[in-house]
Every structure is written in structure tokens, then in C-alpha cells.
Amino acid sequence: MVSVQHVPIVGLLALLPVAVYALSVEAIVVVALLNVVLISASVYTMFLPSEATVKATSA
């Protein structure tokens, strides 16, 4: 299972195919790159602990 600390690494690994695709000089590459960044950021934020969890564990 991938922990929250590994999500940025997985996101960066997802950028490798986009970088290879960028060599084909297509305008859609910018959209693909933006999608990968948005998905990685969304997954990272989704797995962050919520305020209620942080308060419950610190009490």
C-alpha cells in the first residue's frame, strides 16, 4: 500500500510518460501535464488527516 508520503513520488513518476510524450511537440501535452499534476495533488489532499482526526489523536 502506498503511504501519504509516497504520493508525490508516484505523481512525479506519472510525469515521466508525459515528458516522453512532450518530445512529440503536441499542444495537448500541456493539458496532459496539468491533468497529472491535478490528479496527484487531489490524491495527496484526499489522504491528508482531517482536522477532526488530528484533534482526536492529540487529546
Side-chain angles (χ1 to χ4, degrees):
M1 183 168 177
V2 177
S3 68
V4 176
Q5 291 81 15
H6 293 106
V7 171
I9 295 170
V10 173
L12 289 176
L13 288 175
L15 289 176
L16 289 175
V18 176
V20 171
Y21 185 60
L23 297 175
S24 67
V25 190
E26 294 284 332
I28 197 75
V29 172
V30 176
V31 176
L33 179 62
L34 181 63
N35 285 336
V36 170
V37 170
L38 285 174
I39 291 169
S40 298
S42 298
V43 170
Y44 180 75
T45 339
M46 182 174 60
F47 286 109
L48 285 177
S50 66
E51 289 182 22
T53 307
V54 172
K55 289 179 184 177
T57 57
S58 64

